[in-house]
Amino acid sequence: MKRNASRKTGLLTAGLAVYLLLVLWGSTGWFPKSWQQVPSRMPIYQYSPPSREHPLGVFFQQDLLITFVRSTQASFVAGTIALLPFLALGTLLGIASGLPAGFAQALANRTIDVLNAFPRFVVLLLYTGLFAANLYHMLMLYGLISAPKLAELLRGRIDQLRREDFIDSCVALGLPWWVIVRRHILWHHSRHLILAQTFAMFAMAIFMEASLSYLNLGTREHYQSWGLMLNYATSVSGLSLFRFPLSAQFNLPAALPALGLLSVTLLLVSLSRYWEQQDRLKMGRMF
Amino acid sequence: MDLMVEGVSIALQRGEELAYPARRISFTVKPGEFLGLVGESGSGKSLTMLALLGLESCSPGVVEGRVRYRSEQGQLYPLEGLSHYVRWHGGLPRKRTAAWQRTVYRRMKPLLGRRIAIILQDAHKTLNPFLRIEDQLLEMVARQGRADAEKAGWWGRWRQRRSIHQQLRQEALRLLKALHFRDPERVLRAYPHQLSGGMAQRVSLALALASRPEFIILDEPTTGLDVTLQAALVDLIRQLKQERRLSGIIVSHDLMFVGKVTERMAIMFSGELWEIGPTHNVIHPDFPWKHPYTSYLLSFARQKRRGSAGPAFQNVLWQRPKQGCPLRKSCPVYLHQLDMEQRRQCDSADPSPVPVFPEHYIRCWQYAWEEQKHAAGY
């Protein structure tokens, strides 16, 4: 048991360390001067191999390592921007739709139905067509329109828990409903579910950011993206996306976001397993 | 602190059929008194208790009657107008559930957990399995001092959080000691699955008592307890009655247990009250006036019929006859002791409660006839 726990704690620490390192590095924007100095006469899509000044080489007139870190930052920003409205609206709708029948419940249920009625990607394209394309706004919108996924799961959980005796007992002992929802339902019985949805959403947001960038939707001045690199790869160099394997330099920008995503996944999975193990111990179950 | 229940009926709809798990229930619990509500499983006792607090989960639920609670300070908390939320369509009730629930929540909020506490069946299931007893108990103890804490403001509370936690913990320990826990510290650290049935029962009693209620409802408190724990629970309830001047209702199918701790007893079967009176009279074998169903229950309780089922009273929840006494088809008095004329009367009308002794009422035609004879001077 002890060995198992230490392995999980190790995973948690490793995930947290990689995550913090990438986010901090990306957010500070600090890089050695030698990395930032690129020969100006170099053709735009020529790849220069690794050297002492540029550990991963140069491509698109940029140091590849800088590109990697910035693209990681872009991915994390994308994930976080989509995640916040997703969690806020999803939890709110889930709680409201799990309440006893009434106006709030009906409103929440109809909102979920309406949001579910439209394909998410089409809504994003419509938004781009109607308003100026801004990647941040689009990712926020993506978070909002994905919220029903979380809300429906929470509604089911609340429906199930409302039949449990200990919830009846809480009501009978006069605990306010928001305390019951926050403490007894959300935190102690639904946190695995919220966590699982969180990392699924994080990955989906990064994928969506890459897809939108590939389609040249959104502002892309300040950072690089996997989707944007692939777009360059297909348009500038004339490579087909379906011709595999693509040159390493076109796929490498995906490496760090993927590593970052892996670290987040490790972090969340470890946390989920840790909670699961704790809950099992609390319930007195060995398996 | 008395509870007045007047003509409460609870309906249960199944397709086009309508049944009443509780029909025209009326009783009063006086200050400092415990009422025992006794009947076999499925007779509607627990549902009635939940309905008194607006917590019944069946649809459409309470369709008529009213409940009033008078606090120690003389404040009256009415739960009137229950039938206002019910519209009848072709003999079937349609309840405006959302409006009803809001009203109940608003009206019961100042009562639940403050003046009235209820302990539900199966103590283990009523405790949150993921929370330590400490967390659950402190949550309830904290509610008692909520008014003082709110005056301090959130910053004051945050600064004094450690001392507040210590105070709450001491209060919880005192409460557990009062409930005869040998090692309250250990109980506070435990999760519900680490407690035995008796300990869980006492912990749920502690949860209910944490907010210092005036009135307590115990639903099947002896479920899963052996005789020694039952005896301990009897002592505990007696002690609480003396020390805290508690009133309450004890719902149980254990006639003998209820007989030890209550002053009055009501016998319920098939959703209706058949007898209500002083406990001593109801359970005493030599007391001459008894409802046939009470005699039937007593005969089981005193183990005269051990091993044989005997002719059982039939629950008529879904097949209630349109007229006459609903229990007559399985009533031994009706089947073996009455003449044709008396049987005809049993067939024709539902009996009303008849006073057989001060504050002792029985719903049976045989006592109505005795009363008529008495009034006529025989």
Side-chain angles (χ1 to χ4, degrees), chain A residues 183 187-189 191-192 274-286, chain B residues 127-133 135-136 189-195:
Chain A
R183 191 172 158 86
W187 179 243
H188 283 286
H189 284 87
R191 56 185 177 176
H192 308 94
Y274 176 74
W275 279 347
E276 201 177 305
Q277 192 186 359
Q278 289 293 312
D279 289 348
R280 227 177 267 160
L281 286 173
K282 286 175 192 174
M283 298 278 283
R285 288 180 191 153
M286 291 187 72
Chain B
L127 299 171
N128 189 334
F130 290 161
L131 279 177
R132 287 181 195 275
I133 301 304
D135 298 329
Q136 306 191 43
R189 286 196 303 272
Y191 285 101
H193 78 273
Q194 293 167 330
L195 304 176

Side-chain angles (χ1 to χ4, degrees), chain B residues 38 234 253-261 265 283 298 301-302:
Chain B
V38 181
V234 168
H253 53 258
D254 188 340
L255 206 65
M256 291 300 115
F257 169 77
V258 175
K260 286 173 192 164
V261 284
M265 192 183 280
I283 63 168
L298 276 170
R302 297 194 180 280

Side-chain angles (χ1 to χ4, degrees), chain A residues 13-133:
Chain A
T13 317
L16 192 65
V18 176
Y19 177 79
L20 284 177
L21 184 72
L22 290 174
V23 170
L24 284 176
W25 195 6
S27 55
T28 55
W30 180 87
F31 301 102
K33 276 190 176 171
S34 64
W35 293 11
Q36 296 176 20
Q37 290 164 355
V38 178
S40 56
R41 289 190 179 176
M42 198 174 156
I44 191 164
Y45 49 84
Q46 185 186 332
Y47 176 64
S48 149
S51 61
R52 203 174 158 190
E53 289 79 24
H54 305 286
L56 292 180
V58 178
F59 191 56
F60 283 116
Q61 290 183 333
Q62 273 192 9
D63 183 277
L64 259 184
L65 192 54
I66 293 179
T67 311
F68 294 164
V69 175
R70 282 186 179 158
S71 60
T72 309
Q73 184 201 6
S75 302
F76 279 118
V77 167
T80 312
I81 284 177
L83 203 58
L84 294 177
F86 170 76
L87 282 178
L89 185 67
T91 313
L92 197 68
L93 283 178
I95 292 170
S97 59
L99 287 174
F103 178 73
Q105 192 222 31
L107 185 69
N109 282 335
R110 294 300 79 76
T111 311
I112 291 172
D113 294 344
V114 168
L115 289 177
N116 271 336
F118 299 101
R120 296 191 178 96
F121 203 75
V122 176
V123 172
L124 289 180
L125 293 180
L126 271 173
Y127 176 81
T128 320
L130 290 171
F131 305 100

Side-chain angles (χ1 to χ4, degrees), chain B residues 98 120 198 252:
Chain B
L120 304 178
S252 179

Side-chain angles (χ1 to χ4, degrees), chain B residues 2-6 26-31 33 35 264 276:
Chain B
D2 44 353
L3 182 79
M4 290 153 278
V5 181
E6 295 165 18
S26 300
F27 59 80
T28 305
V29 184
K30 293 172 190 166
E33 180 187 84
L35 173 81
R264 289 168 73 233
I276 183 164

Side-chain angles (χ1 to χ4, degrees), chain A:
Chain A
M1 182 71 82
K2 198 177 174 184
R3 198 176 153 192
N4 207 8
S6 68
R7 196 192 307 156
K8 277 167 191 166
T9 318
L11 272 178
L12 191 78
T13 317
L16 192 65
V18 176
Y19 177 79
L20 284 177
L21 184 72
L22 290 174
V23 170
L24 284 176
W25 195 6
S27 55
T28 55
W30 180 87
F31 301 102
K33 276 190 176 171
S34 64
W35 293 11
Q36 296 176 20
Q37 290 164 355
V38 178
S40 56
R41 289 190 179 176
M42 198 174 156
I44 191 164
Y45 49 84
Q46 185 186 332
Y47 176 64
S48 149
S51 61
R52 203 174 158 190
E53 289 79 24
H54 305 286
L56 292 180
V58 178
F59 191 56
F60 283 116
Q61 290 183 333
Q62 273 192 9
D63 183 277
L64 259 184
L65 192 54
I66 293 179
T67 311
F68 294 164
V69 175
R70 282 186 179 158
S71 60
T72 309
Q73 184 201 6
S75 302
F76 279 118
V77 167
T80 312
I81 284 177
L83 203 58
L84 294 177
F86 170 76
L87 282 178
L89 185 67
T91 313
L92 197 68
L93 283 178
I95 292 170
S97 59
L99 287 174
F103 178 73
Q105 192 222 31
L107 185 69
N109 282 335
R110 294 300 79 76
T111 311
I112 291 172
D113 294 344
V114 168
L115 289 177
N116 271 336
F118 299 101
R120 296 191 178 96
F121 203 75
V122 176
V123 172
L124 289 180
L125 293 180
L126 271 173
Y127 176 81
T128 320
L130 290 171
F131 305 100
N134 179 327
L135 190 70
Y136 290 146
H137 292 176
M138 288 169 78
L139 286 169
M140 283 175 81
L141 182 65
Y142 181 67
L144 287 176
I145 57 182
S146 304
K149 279 198 286 188
L150 178 61
E152 280 171 338
L153 287 168
L154 276 181
R155 177 171 60 189
R157 193 82 183 120
I158 293 174
D159 271 350
Q160 181 198 353
L161 286 173
R162 274 174 61 191
R163 294 187 200 105
E164 294 285 338
D165 286 353
F166 71 86
I167 297 291
D168 282 344
S169 177
C170 288
V171 176
L173 290 173
L175 282 184
W177 68 268
W178 61 89
V179 174
I180 298 174
V181 168
R182 177 174 55 80
R183 191 172 158 86
H184 292 268
I185 294 181
L186 284 185
W187 179 243
H188 283 286
H189 284 87
S190 313
R191 56 185 177 176
H192 308 94
L193 194 145
I194 295 174
L195 193 67
Q197 283 300 307
T198 301
F199 70 77
M201 184 62 201
F202 202 84
M204 277 308 293
I206 290 176
F207 173 73
M208 189 56 67
E209 186 268 342
S211 308
L212 292 170
S213 301
Y214 179 78
L215 293 173
N216 265 331
L217 300 171
T219 50
R220 313 287 321 151
E221 290 89 8
H222 305 298
Y223 47 78
Q224 297 295 337
S225 153
W226 181 27
L228 203 61
M229 296 296 279
L230 281 176
N231 184 302
Y232 284 160
T234 50
S235 59
V236 177
S237 68
L239 284 171
S240 163
L241 185 62
F242 303 102
R243 209 184 93 195
F244 287 105
L246 286 173
S247 310
Q249 62 268 33
F250 293 121
N251 269 323
L252 274 174
L256 270 188
L259 188 61
L261 193 57
L262 182 68
S263 74
V264 174
T265 308
L266 283 179
L267 178 73
L268 296 174
V269 166
S270 309
L271 192 58
S272 173
R273 291 220 178 129
Y274 176 74
W275 279 347
E276 201 177 305
Q277 192 186 359
Q278 289 293 312
D279 289 348
R280 227 177 267 160
L281 286 173
K282 286 175 192 174
M283 298 278 283
R285 288 180 191 153
M286 291 187 72
F287 303 104

Side-chain angles (χ1 to χ4, degrees), chain B residues 157-306:
Chain B
R157 285 202 297 276
W158 171 253
R159 283 178 60 192
Q160 298 166 10
R161 65 192 184 282
R162 287 184 198 281
S163 64
I164 289 173
H165 182 80
Q166 277 307 316
Q167 282 170 17
L168 294 177
R169 207 164 189 281
Q170 290 304 319
E171 178 66 31
L173 284 172
R174 267 199 297 276
L175 190 63
L176 290 180
K177 270 183 197 158
L179 293 173
H180 305 299
F181 279 104
R182 281 181 203 159
D183 190 355
E185 281 281 355
R186 202 170 151 191
V187 174
L188 278 185
R189 286 196 303 272
Y191 285 101
H193 78 273
Q194 293 167 330
L195 304 176
S196 69
M199 288 167 92
Q201 190 67 48
R202 278 182 287 164
V203 165
S204 52
L205 195 58
L207 283 178
L209 294 175
S211 51
R212 298 185 174 276
E214 299 164 355
F215 195 94
I216 190 163
I217 297 174
L218 302 170
D219 191 358
E220 303 282 6
T222 54
T223 307
L225 300 190
D226 61 30
V227 282
T228 54
L229 287 173
Q230 283 187 23
L233 190 62
V234 168
D235 291 341
L236 187 63
I237 293 171
R238 281 179 181 159
Q239 183 192 338
L240 289 171
K241 276 164 69 176
Q242 279 180 354
E243 288 175 2
R244 301 197 179 203
R245 285 184 45 77
L246 268 178
S247 313
I249 300 176
I250 297 183
V251 176
S252 179
H253 53 258
D254 188 340
L255 206 65
M256 291 300 115
F257 169 77
V258 175
K260 286 173 192 164
V261 284
T262 60
E263 282 76 28
R264 289 168 73 233
M265 192 183 280
I267 304 290
M268 195 167 178
F269 180 66
S270 212
E272 296 175 52
L273 281 186
W274 296 101
E275 183 171 354
I276 183 164
T279 300
H280 180 263
N281 291 357
V282 176
I283 63 168
H284 199 285
D286 299 331
F287 190 74
W289 300 291
K290 284 201 190 318
H291 190 275
Y293 180 69
T294 311
S295 308
Y296 171 77
L297 275 186
L298 276 170
S299 67
F300 273 106
R302 297 194 180 280
Q303 298 187 338
K304 281 181 186 170
R305 295 194 186 189
R306 190 166 56 179

